[in-house]
Amino acid sequence: MSLQNEPITHTGGYAKTAYRADDIPEQSYAPQNEMLRGRILETRLPWGSYLHINPTTHQYSESWFREYEYMGSDYHGHTMINEKRWSKRVDENIGILYRLIRFIFVIYSHGFSFIRAGGGKGGGWLFAGIAAVGTPLFVFAADVWIQGFIPLATVSAFCGVATLLLQLWEKHELKFYKGNRNWSDDYAFCRYTGMVKSSRGDFPFYEFDAYVEMRVGTQGSQFHSFNLIHRYPHRSPDPFTKNPLEFSFFADGSIAQLYAIWDMLQRYMDVSQPLPDVPELEPFRHLDPTTKAYDEAGKRGRPATYWRDLYANSSAEELKALREAHRTEVDSAAWGGRPDLMELSVPNYRETRKGEPEDVNDFGRFSWKAGKFVDRPEAAPPSGHVADHQNNDDTAR
């Protein structure tokens, strides 16, 4: 049953409704969700059975340290994830006109610049190239030959200004971020309460299921995404489409990376586990009761400022090497063949969807491949306290 109306009482810093993998309550039968028909949901990811491996995009973030240094003491409130909530929406205190101007600015600076955000060649080269190809025709048709170069000069100037604006954006975007982007506490995954907050109501974390979905791009390309969908759509319908409440999380790379984001999200919400050991959460580890006790007992095996020091003292090339090594580690982990703890709490859970790719890693590397699906092993009740069996997220490198 939904716990959204149950009163919150705190025990050891957490609410009574806080999520624990070793204490998932019994729930009602999972209904057939008609709104999911037609979607290519390749597999449903298992609850519990943590591998304690984080996705590469979080383990070795490319932007974390720059944001952390700039924001300083304000980092807690302006970062997407802290020790209490993992936000999924930004609340901006700005007007409609400002939003419109910013939208036009971003389209212009990012779409017509000679460089791309983050490096590489941008769309400006395409437009300038088209103008250059047509220049001989313009010269031939012009009364004065120099007039034929006006279109090329105009396009070049237009794209040049876009390039300058993009460079200014990349240099000063953190000022905009800090001043206007406030991650919402009202649309988030809340560790302290175990609830998922949204405009449709607040729902227990364990009422959601994680899926790997295969999607087809506009040019026929295939890619996979990670989606968390509310199991009981009649409790969280969209007022217009009637679709159930759904969230997406980004993880760059193979299907194994999507398994890793689910592993990390579960551990983030599970108060029997310390916070995942990733850079963006390191400044808040001492604020979370379970994590503080874990670290004070010496179980983390790292200095309190491990990630801060690593980013401060490592070159871009060194961080890139660590990032690629971690990507290999994620892709080679044994993600398949694990039982699903939710089978013990939802009566018909195993019948609704029990298969997974026989080889998760192989399936992830070849998204177009129709791999063989096999049944998961049956789940058994967890023995002992989950946190007692935890390993470090990674060994210190």
Side-chain angles (χ1 to χ4, degrees), residues 164-189:
L164 177 61
L165 292 177
L166 179 59
Q167 290 175 327
L168 292 173
W169 166 271
E170 291 195 316
K171 182 178 180 181
H172 299 290
E173 64 173 324
L174 284 180
K175 293 181 180 179
F176 161 78
Y177 180 97
K178 185 175 179 180
N180 297 299
R181 300 189 71 179
N182 302 294
W183 291 102
S184 172
D185 292 336
D186 298 322
Y187 206 83
F189 288 74

mmCIF file of all heavy atoms in Angstrom, residues 164-189:
data_model
loop_
_atom_site.group_PDB
_atom_site.id
_atom_site.type_symbol
_atom_site.label_atom_id
_atom_site.label_comp_id
_atom_site.label_asym_id
_atom_site.label_seq_id
_atom_site.Cartn_x
_atom_site.Cartn_y
_atom_site.Cartn_z
ATOM 1 N N LEU A 164 31.890 33.420 -30.273
ATOM 2 C CA LEU A 164 32.290 34.268 -29.149
ATOM 3 C C LEU A 164 31.318 34.137 -27.987
ATOM 4 O O LEU A 164 31.729 34.010 -26.823
ATOM 5 C CB LEU A 164 32.363 35.730 -29.603
ATOM 6 C CG LEU A 164 32.698 36.754 -28.511
ATOM 7 C CD1 LEU A 164 34.070 36.468 -27.915
ATOM 8 C CD2 LEU A 164 32.636 38.175 -29.081
ATOM 9 N N LEU A 165 30.015 34.117 -28.284
ATOM 10 C CA LEU A 165 29.010 33.990 -27.227
ATOM 11 C C LEU A 165 29.095 32.624 -26.543
ATOM 12 O O LEU A 165 28.909 32.518 -25.319
ATOM 13 C CB LEU A 165 27.610 34.197 -27.813
ATOM 14 C CG LEU A 165 27.300 35.615 -28.297
ATOM 15 C CD1 LEU A 165 25.920 35.676 -28.926
ATOM 16 C CD2 LEU A 165 27.402 36.620 -27.147
ATOM 17 N N LEU A 166 29.381 31.575 -27.306
ATOM 18 C CA LEU A 166 29.514 30.246 -26.708
ATOM 19 C C LEU A 166 30.715 30.190 -25.771
ATOM 20 O O LEU A 166 30.650 29.576 -24.694
ATOM 21 C CB LEU A 166 29.648 29.183 -27.801
ATOM 22 C CG LEU A 166 29.813 27.733 -27.304
ATOM 23 C CD1 LEU A 166 28.623 27.332 -26.438
ATOM 24 C CD2 LEU A 166 29.969 26.776 -28.471
ATOM 25 N N GLN A 167 31.808 30.835 -26.173
ATOM 26 C CA GLN A 167 32.982 30.873 -25.308
ATOM 27 C C GLN A 167 32.682 31.625 -24.012
ATOM 28 O O GLN A 167 33.116 31.208 -22.929
ATOM 29 C CB GLN A 167 34.149 31.531 -26.050
ATOM 30 C CG GLN A 167 34.709 30.677 -27.189
ATOM 31 C CD GLN A 167 35.775 31.385 -27.981
ATOM 32 O OE1 GLN A 167 35.738 32.602 -28.144
ATOM 33 N NE2 GLN A 167 36.738 30.630 -28.495
ATOM 34 N N LEU A 168 31.943 32.718 -24.114
ATOM 35 C CA LEU A 168 31.559 33.465 -22.918
ATOM 36 C C LEU A 168 30.627 32.635 -22.040
ATOM 37 O O LEU A 168 30.712 32.664 -20.810
ATOM 38 C CB LEU A 168 30.879 34.781 -23.315
ATOM 39 C CG LEU A 168 31.787 35.821 -23.978
ATOM 40 C CD1 LEU A 168 30.961 37.006 -24.472
ATOM 41 C CD2 LEU A 168 32.853 36.292 -22.995
ATOM 42 N N TRP A 169 29.734 31.877 -22.682
ATOM 43 C CA TRP A 169 28.810 31.009 -21.946
ATOM 44 C C TRP A 169 29.580 29.962 -21.149
ATOM 45 O O TRP A 169 29.302 29.743 -19.973
ATOM 46 C CB TRP A 169 27.845 30.344 -22.923
ATOM 47 C CG TRP A 169 27.074 29.182 -22.349
ATOM 48 C CD1 TRP A 169 27.429 27.866 -22.331
ATOM 49 C CD2 TRP A 169 25.797 29.245 -21.697
ATOM 50 N NE1 TRP A 169 26.477 27.110 -21.717
ATOM 51 C CE2 TRP A 169 25.460 27.925 -21.316
ATOM 52 C CE3 TRP A 169 24.916 30.280 -21.400
ATOM 53 C CZ2 TRP A 169 24.271 27.613 -20.660
ATOM 54 C CZ3 TRP A 169 23.727 29.972 -20.745
ATOM 55 C CH2 TRP A 169 23.418 28.668 -20.387
ATOM 56 N N GLU A 170 30.537 29.312 -21.797
ATOM 57 C CA GLU A 170 31.277 28.259 -21.128
ATOM 58 C C GLU A 170 32.137 28.812 -19.984
ATOM 59 O O GLU A 170 32.374 28.127 -18.993
ATOM 60 C CB GLU A 170 32.160 27.505 -22.123
ATOM 61 C CG GLU A 170 31.356 26.662 -23.109
ATOM 62 C CD GLU A 170 32.227 25.656 -23.832
ATOM 63 O OE1 GLU A 170 33.335 26.028 -24.257
ATOM 64 O OE2 GLU A 170 31.792 24.504 -23.984
ATOM 65 N N LYS A 171 32.570 30.052 -20.126
ATOM 66 C CA LYS A 171 33.416 30.650 -19.106
ATOM 67 C C LYS A 171 32.601 31.114 -17.901
ATOM 68 O O LYS A 171 33.061 31.033 -16.756
ATOM 69 C CB LYS A 171 34.190 31.824 -19.694
ATOM 70 C CG LYS A 171 35.147 32.490 -18.705
ATOM 71 C CD LYS A 171 35.929 33.613 -19.377
ATOM 72 C CE LYS A 171 36.881 34.273 -18.379
ATOM 73 N NZ LYS A 171 37.638 35.380 -19.013
ATOM 74 N N HIS A 172 31.371 31.584 -18.146
ATOM 75 C CA HIS A 172 30.604 32.214 -17.073
ATOM 76 C C HIS A 172 29.298 31.486 -16.745
ATOM 77 O O HIS A 172 28.471 32.026 -15.998
ATOM 78 C CB HIS A 172 30.280 33.668 -17.452
ATOM 79 C CG HIS A 172 31.480 34.521 -17.672
ATOM 80 N ND1 HIS A 172 32.314 34.925 -16.651
ATOM 81 C CD2 HIS A 172 32.008 35.039 -18.815
ATOM 82 C CE1 HIS A 172 33.298 35.666 -17.140
ATOM 83 N NE2 HIS A 172 33.143 35.753 -18.454
ATOM 84 N N GLU A 173 29.090 30.285 -17.297
ATOM 85 C CA GLU A 173 27.817 29.612 -17.084
ATOM 86 C C GLU A 173 27.572 29.292 -15.609
ATOM 87 O O GLU A 173 26.423 29.220 -15.164
ATOM 88 C CB GLU A 173 27.742 28.315 -17.897
ATOM 89 C CG GLU A 173 28.757 27.257 -17.491
ATOM 90 C CD GLU A 173 28.497 25.942 -18.233
ATOM 91 O OE1 GLU A 173 27.322 25.627 -18.462
ATOM 92 O OE2 GLU A 173 29.467 25.246 -18.567
ATOM 93 N N LEU A 174 28.635 29.092 -14.827
ATOM 94 C CA LEU A 174 28.451 28.771 -13.414
ATOM 95 C C LEU A 174 27.809 29.934 -12.658
ATOM 96 O O LEU A 174 27.093 29.731 -11.683
ATOM 97 C CB LEU A 174 29.785 28.395 -12.776
ATOM 98 C CG LEU A 174 30.303 26.998 -13.128
ATOM 99 C CD1 LEU A 174 31.624 26.741 -12.435
ATOM 100 C CD2 LEU A 174 29.290 25.939 -12.740
ATOM 101 N N LYS A 175 28.061 31.157 -13.111
ATOM 102 C CA LYS A 175 27.420 32.298 -12.475
ATOM 103 C C LYS A 175 25.920 32.238 -12.697
ATOM 104 O O LYS A 175 25.128 32.505 -11.793
ATOM 105 C CB LYS A 175 27.990 33.608 -13.033
ATOM 106 C CG LYS A 175 29.452 33.836 -12.663
ATOM 107 C CD LYS A 175 29.946 35.155 -13.216
ATOM 108 C CE LYS A 175 31.415 35.373 -12.833
ATOM 109 N NZ LYS A 175 31.937 36.646 -13.380
ATOM 110 N N PHE A 176 25.541 31.877 -13.905
ATOM 111 C CA PHE A 176 24.118 31.698 -14.194
ATOM 112 C C PHE A 176 23.558 30.542 -13.379
ATOM 113 O O PHE A 176 22.491 30.623 -12.783
ATOM 114 C CB PHE A 176 23.924 31.424 -15.686
ATOM 115 C CG PHE A 176 22.608 30.782 -16.004
ATOM 116 C CD1 PHE A 176 21.456 31.536 -16.044
ATOM 117 C CD2 PHE A 176 22.523 29.417 -16.239
ATOM 118 C CE1 PHE A 176 20.239 30.937 -16.318
ATOM 119 C CE2 PHE A 176 21.318 28.820 -16.512
ATOM 120 C CZ PHE A 176 20.167 29.583 -16.545
ATOM 121 N N TYR A 177 24.296 29.452 -13.343
ATOM 122 C CA TYR A 177 23.867 28.255 -12.603
ATOM 123 C C TYR A 177 23.631 28.581 -11.138
ATOM 124 O O TYR A 177 22.604 28.224 -10.558
ATOM 125 C CB TYR A 177 24.951 27.184 -12.745
ATOM 126 C CG TYR A 177 24.670 25.872 -12.041
ATOM 127 C CD1 TYR A 177 24.126 24.804 -12.736
ATOM 128 C CD2 TYR A 177 24.964 25.697 -10.696
ATOM 129 C CE1 TYR A 177 23.879 23.599 -12.106
ATOM 130 C CE2 TYR A 177 24.720 24.496 -10.055
ATOM 131 C CZ TYR A 177 24.184 23.453 -10.771
ATOM 132 O OH TYR A 177 23.941 22.258 -10.138
ATOM 133 N N LYS A 178 24.572 29.270 -10.534
ATOM 134 C CA LYS A 178 24.478 29.558 -9.109
ATOM 135 C C LYS A 178 23.371 30.564 -8.821
ATOM 136 O O LYS A 178 22.699 30.487 -7.796
ATOM 137 C CB LYS A 178 25.822 30.097 -8.604
ATOM 138 C CG LYS A 178 25.876 30.322 -7.104
ATOM 139 C CD LYS A 178 27.265 30.743 -6.670
ATOM 140 C CE LYS A 178 27.322 30.998 -5.174
ATOM 141 N NZ LYS A 178 28.668 31.410 -4.747
ATOM 142 N N GLY A 179 23.176 31.489 -9.726
ATOM 143 C CA GLY A 179 22.196 32.531 -9.470
ATOM 144 C C GLY A 179 20.768 32.134 -9.742
ATOM 145 O O GLY A 179 19.848 32.648 -9.117
ATOM 146 N N ASN A 180 20.541 31.193 -10.686
ATOM 147 C CA ASN A 180 19.177 30.927 -11.116
ATOM 148 C C ASN A 180 18.733 29.472 -11.013
ATOM 149 O O ASN A 180 17.545 29.201 -11.074
ATOM 150 C CB ASN A 180 19.006 31.375 -12.576
ATOM 151 C CG ASN A 180 19.203 32.860 -12.740
ATOM 152 O OD1 ASN A 180 18.484 33.646 -12.161
ATOM 153 N ND2 ASN A 180 20.202 33.238 -13.506
ATOM 154 N N ARG A 181 19.670 28.533 -10.881
ATOM 155 C CA ARG A 181 19.271 27.141 -10.849
ATOM 156 C C ARG A 181 19.231 26.633 -9.410
ATOM 157 O O ARG A 181 20.244 26.538 -8.741
ATOM 158 C CB ARG A 181 20.221 26.292 -11.690
ATOM 159 C CG ARG A 181 20.261 26.702 -13.152
ATOM 160 C CD ARG A 181 21.028 25.719 -13.986
ATOM 161 N NE ARG A 181 20.298 24.473 -14.128
ATOM 162 C CZ ARG A 181 20.757 23.439 -14.846
ATOM 163 N NH1 ARG A 181 21.921 23.528 -15.445
ATOM 164 N NH2 ARG A 181 20.056 22.343 -14.941
ATOM 165 N N ASN A 182 18.051 26.342 -8.958
ATOM 166 C CA ASN A 182 17.848 25.832 -7.610
ATOM 167 C C ASN A 182 17.172 24.473 -7.712
ATOM 168 O O ASN A 182 16.010 24.377 -8.114
ATOM 169 C CB ASN A 182 16.980 26.799 -6.797
ATOM 170 C CG ASN A 182 17.590 28.177 -6.724
ATOM 171 O OD1 ASN A 182 18.632 28.379 -6.132
ATOM 172 N ND2 ASN A 182 16.943 29.146 -7.373
ATOM 173 N N TRP A 183 17.889 23.432 -7.359
ATOM 174 C CA TRP A 183 17.340 22.090 -7.487
ATOM 175 C C TRP A 183 16.180 21.909 -6.521
ATOM 176 O O TRP A 183 16.278 22.206 -5.346
ATOM 177 C CB TRP A 183 18.428 21.050 -7.247
ATOM 178 C CG TRP A 183 19.436 21.052 -8.342
ATOM 179 C CD1 TRP A 183 20.681 21.611 -8.315
ATOM 180 C CD2 TRP A 183 19.288 20.488 -9.646
ATOM 181 N NE1 TRP A 183 21.316 21.426 -9.516
ATOM 182 C CE2 TRP A 183 20.488 20.739 -10.356
ATOM 183 C CE3 TRP A 183 18.268 19.792 -10.289
ATOM 184 C CZ2 TRP A 183 20.684 20.321 -11.671
ATOM 185 C CZ3 TRP A 183 18.465 19.375 -11.597
ATOM 186 C CH2 TRP A 183 19.657 19.644 -12.268
ATOM 187 N N SER A 184 15.069 21.416 -7.048
ATOM 188 C CA SER A 184 13.824 21.348 -6.300
ATOM 189 C C SER A 184 13.841 20.255 -5.232
ATOM 190 O O SER A 184 14.262 19.129 -5.485
ATOM 191 C CB SER A 184 12.656 21.094 -7.266
ATOM 192 O OG SER A 184 11.471 20.843 -6.573
ATOM 193 N N ASP A 185 13.336 20.593 -4.030
ATOM 194 C CA ASP A 185 13.136 19.600 -2.981
ATOM 195 C C ASP A 185 11.766 18.933 -3.121
ATOM 196 O O ASP A 185 11.460 17.979 -2.410
ATOM 197 C CB ASP A 185 13.227 20.255 -1.598
ATOM 198 C CG ASP A 185 14.643 20.729 -1.293
ATOM 199 O OD1 ASP A 185 15.594 20.179 -1.884
ATOM 200 O OD2 ASP A 185 14.797 21.650 -0.480
ATOM 201 N N ASP A 186 10.945 19.437 -4.022
ATOM 202 C CA ASP A 186 9.574 18.943 -4.170
ATOM 203 C C ASP A 186 9.412 17.977 -5.343
ATOM 204 O O ASP A 186 8.302 17.517 -5.610
ATOM 205 C CB ASP A 186 8.614 20.122 -4.362
ATOM 206 C CG ASP A 186 8.620 21.053 -3.164
ATOM 207 O OD1 ASP A 186 8.710 20.540 -2.039
ATOM 208 O OD2 ASP A 186 8.529 22.277 -3.362
ATOM 209 N N TYR A 187 10.496 17.698 -6.035
ATOM 210 C CA TYR A 187 10.442 16.757 -7.159
ATOM 211 C C TYR A 187 11.736 15.956 -7.093
ATOM 212 O O TYR A 187 12.678 16.214 -7.833
ATOM 213 C CB TYR A 187 10.331 17.531 -8.474
ATOM 214 C CG TYR A 187 9.669 16.768 -9.601
ATOM 215 C CD1 TYR A 187 8.281 16.713 -9.691
ATOM 216 C CD2 TYR A 187 10.418 16.109 -10.571
ATOM 217 C CE1 TYR A 187 7.657 16.033 -10.713
ATOM 218 C CE2 TYR A 187 9.804 15.423 -11.600
ATOM 219 C CZ TYR A 187 8.430 15.384 -11.668
ATOM 220 O OH TYR A 187 7.803 14.706 -12.690
ATOM 221 N N ALA A 188 11.778 15.001 -6.176
ATOM 222 C CA ALA A 188 13.065 14.396 -5.856
ATOM 223 C C ALA A 188 12.901 13.036 -5.190
ATOM 224 O O ALA A 188 11.830 12.681 -4.689
ATOM 225 C CB ALA A 188 13.845 15.328 -4.930
ATOM 226 N N PHE A 189 14.012 12.284 -5.177
ATOM 227 C CA PHE A 189 14.131 11.031 -4.437
ATOM 228 C C PHE A 189 14.745 11.380 -3.082
ATOM 229 O O PHE A 189 15.868 11.886 -3.030
ATOM 230 C CB PHE A 189 15.004 10.043 -5.202
ATOM 231 C CG PHE A 189 14.337 9.491 -6.429
ATOM 232 C CD1 PHE A 189 14.183 10.271 -7.565
ATOM 233 C CD2 PHE A 189 13.850 8.192 -6.448
ATOM 234 C CE1 PHE A 189 13.558 9.775 -8.701
ATOM 235 C CE2 PHE A 189 13.221 7.685 -7.572
ATOM 236 C CZ PHE A 189 13.073 8.478 -8.696
#
